[in-house]
């Protein structure tokens, strides 16, 4: 017996807002499959408001309301049966975040969960990482966002430590990250990796996905520290405009890609890692999984 349902995840980040629609394929006697059906990304960049002025502007409030209404209609057209919407650091830190969550619900009926950094890290780490990891290895999983970056140690297939730091691409772009935050991150990484001889980095987020795509590497093959450093230096030799016109980067990617690479390279350096694997998963994938497993557990109770 084959069952195919559509679930959706809305990820309201500090740099962009995403709607992921996935097919949940269940067949008796086989493991459930999660197949991406559609992904829509709108670069609203809430973090640029919040990290500087502590609140989301009127213009971006309206853009969020319009986007959520559009997402609601898309989910209806796709016949999505369940969805979950999560907002991260920008909404969490804005003084008018609660008001916007209420406005979204009034306007579109979409209920938004504003989640903490640790919960975000847990949702991301619960994605289908098993496909990408070797149980005999140790990894530092780095998910770079606009407002924060989540770090998780995975040793022999199990998560042993996880922490969220307020170091993100939009914050860095606006010079909002103090030297002490970098020092705290360096100390955490160097301490947490000490017991392990060899660490590989797993990187997720739109920027590392873009770099991986440009590299032309086959899925499952890693990028080297040397390649990433060379690419980072090359990007810095271009102006913002040249990155758009000559490197064909979207305008909302052309600026944040450099601070994102700085975070990945720092994580690799401090963990003494030569390789970064890019599994192409993130918060939205984790949200889809959490909806499915919540449904399964409530059905078995």
């Amino acid at each position: 017996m084959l069952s195919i349902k559509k679930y959706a995840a809305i990820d309201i980040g500090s740099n962009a807002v995403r709607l992921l629609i996935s097919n949940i394929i269940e067949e008796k006697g086989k493991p459930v499959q999660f197949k991406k059906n559609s992904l829509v990304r709108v670069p609203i960049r809430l973090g640029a408001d919040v990290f500087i002025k502590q609140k989301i502007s009127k213009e971006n409030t309206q853009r969020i309301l319009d986007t959520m209404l559009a997402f609601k209609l898309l989910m209806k057209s796709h016949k999505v049966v369940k969805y979950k919407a999560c907002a991260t650091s920008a909404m969490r830190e804005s003084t008018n975040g609660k008001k916007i969550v209420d406005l979204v619900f009034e306007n579109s009926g979409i209920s938004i969960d504003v989640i903490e950094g640790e919960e975000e890290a847990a949702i991301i780490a619960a994605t289908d990482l098993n496909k990408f990891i070797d149980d005999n290895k140790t990894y530092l999983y780095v998910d770079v966002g606009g407002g924060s970056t989540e770090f998780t140690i995975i040793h022999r297939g199990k998560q042993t430590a996880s922490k969220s730091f307020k170091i993100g691409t939009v914050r860095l772009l606006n010079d909002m990250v103090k030297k002490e935050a970098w020092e705290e991150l360096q100390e955490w990484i160097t301490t947490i990796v000490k017991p392990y001889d060899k660490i590989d980095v797993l990187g997720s987020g739109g920027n590392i996905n873009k770099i991986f795509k440009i590299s032309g590497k086959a899925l499952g093959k890693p990028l080297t520290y040397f390649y990433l450093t060379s690419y980072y230096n090359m990007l810095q030799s271009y102006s913002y405009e040249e990155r758009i016109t000559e490197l064909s980067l979207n305008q909302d990617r052309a600026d944040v890609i450099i601070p994102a690479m700085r975070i990945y390279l720092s994580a690799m350096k401090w963990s003494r890692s030569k390789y970064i694997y890019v599994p192409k998963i993130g918060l939205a994938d984790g949200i889809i999984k959490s909806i499915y497993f919540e449904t399964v557990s409530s059905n078995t109770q």
Side-chain angles (χ1 to χ4, degrees), residues 128-148:
D128 212 0
L129 274 175
N130 295 337
K131 278 185 192 171
F132 308 97
I133 63 174
D134 180 337
D135 281 351
N136 298 312
K137 287 185 175 181
T138 305
Y139 299 92
L140 174 63
Y141 183 43
V142 183
D143 182 71
V144 174
S148 63

Side-chain angles (χ1 to χ4, degrees), residues 122-189:
I123 291 171
I124 294 161
T127 55
D128 212 0
L129 274 175
N130 295 337
K131 278 185 192 171
F132 308 97
I133 63 174
D134 180 337
D135 281 351
N136 298 312
K137 287 185 175 181
T138 305
Y139 299 92
L140 174 63
Y141 183 43
V142 183
D143 182 71
V144 174
S148 63
T149 299
E150 279 61 53
F151 297 86
T152 305
I153 286 283
I154 301 165
H155 178 61
R156 297 194 181 278
K158 290 191 171 59
Q159 295 163 44
T160 58
S162 191
K163 196 166 169 64
S164 178
F165 287 84
K166 285 186 183 179
I167 299 174
T169 57
V170 179
R171 273 191 221 271
L172 285 167
L173 209 54
N174 292 287
D175 206 20
M176 306 286 294
V177 179
K178 292 189 171 74
K179 190 178 162 215
E180 292 77 20
W182 281 110
E183 287 168 352
E184 188 195 343
L185 174 59
Q186 182 177 357
E187 190 180 342
W188 187 82
I189 291 175

